[in-house]
Amino acid sequence: SVVQGSHGKPRTQESGKGKAHMPTIELGGADIPYMVIRHPRRRHVYVEVRPGQVVVRVPLRFANRQIPAIFSQHSEWIRKQLAAFEVVQAQTSRKYVTGELFPYLGKTYVLNVDYGEDASKSSVKLTGGHLCVVITRPNPDGVEEEGPSDARDLILQWYRERAKEYLPARLDELSQETGMRPARVRVKNQVTRWGSCSSSGSVNLNWRLVLAPTRVADYVIVHELCHLKVLNHSKRFWNLLATVDPRFPEWKLWLKVNSWLLKSWLHDE
């Protein structure tokens, strides 16, 4: 539970030299970092639990003194969510060694890491049900190979390259099917969004979509294509999306439930 009084009030905690202070609140004997995001058009309070922290989205003029009451009201749920994140993060912690599992476009592949002394360059490729990584050993002259030299960097680069190939090509196919074509398509390393569409008709897609099932990636792409006609999330927008993809609520729910897992599965630090 949240301790009331001076312990229950938000207080700042030094997170390291040169880093910004992040407010924390005591919950169940632990200091939980949190952030408050204000929006002028928000009318209700929304609490979002992320791995190791809580995000509270509030109206613009919401008073800070009310924050402890929010934590008190949702304390049990917040603690359960944080505990669940810790368990799953421990299970999905990547060591990038042979035998680990990696998702790609709805399928799961077994990682196989090999050190090839005769290989001309490091490489990553899919072979059957395996994600095969070959890492060249340092050459006798001591000259380091250009580019990534360990499994993590190689795999991360491989995912991003595949995303830059697959997502624009798939968007082009869906554009032809729907008749909605963007002015520009970019694959980006977005932190909080899976996709976005600007008023100028530019669509951005998160490279991590290739970690999700193909139907989920399609949902995000079609969602952004629909924004070319309706830029907001009004009833008109959702009706348009439903005509293009009647099963979109399934994919939307899947992404809502699993988005944090996808983002923790492969870290881009």
Side-chain angles (χ1 to χ4, degrees), residues 77-202:
W77 176 76
I78 291 174
R79 284 190 296 173
K80 287 182 179 179
Q81 294 297 309
L82 290 171
F85 280 131
E86 290 179 1
V87 171
V88 178
Q89 280 190 307
Q91 295 173 346
T92 59
S93 177
R94 303 288 91 192
K95 295 183 178 178
Y96 303 93
V97 296
T98 295
E100 288 186 333
L101 303 178
F102 284 81
Y104 179 65
L105 295 177
K107 297 182 180 180
T108 301
Y109 296 86
V110 180
L111 178 63
N112 182 54
V113 180
D114 187 27
Y115 291 87
E117 296 182 357
D118 299 329
S120 60
K121 60 184 297 186
S122 298
S123 63
V124 181
K125 63 180 180 180
L126 292 179
T127 303
H130 291 80
L131 179 62
C132 299
V133 179
V134 176
I135 303 175
T136 58
R137 296 185 183 278
N139 63 53
D141 298 328
V143 179
E144 294 185 1
E145 173 192 350
E146 293 185 1
S149 59
D150 60 36
R152 179 197 172 279
D153 289 346
L154 284 164
I155 292 170
L156 180 59
Q157 177 177 288
W158 180 84
Y159 269 107
R160 298 186 72 163
E161 289 176 350
R162 297 293 78 73
K164 288 180 179 179
E165 292 177 0
Y166 176 82
L167 295 175
R170 184 58 180 152
L171 182 143
D172 186 62
E173 293 175 352
L174 293 172
S175 292
Q176 294 182 33
E177 293 178 14
T178 62
M180 296 179 286
R181 185 172 297 277
R184 184 182 182 186
V185 181
R186 293 185 297 180
V187 177
K188 301 180 66 176
N189 182 32
Q190 294 169 298
V191 178
T192 58
R193 295 183 176 184
W194 289 106
S196 61
C197 179
S198 69
S199 57
S200 61
S202 178

Side-chain angles (χ1 to χ4, degrees), residues 244-264:
V244 179
D245 183 4
R247 294 178 61 186
F248 85 84
E250 297 178 44
W251 322 130
K252 181 182 178 183
L253 177 61
W254 190 98
L255 194 59
K256 180 178 181 180
V257 172
N258 295 280
S259 61
W260 66 272
L261 178 59
L262 296 183
K263 292 176 181 178
S264 66

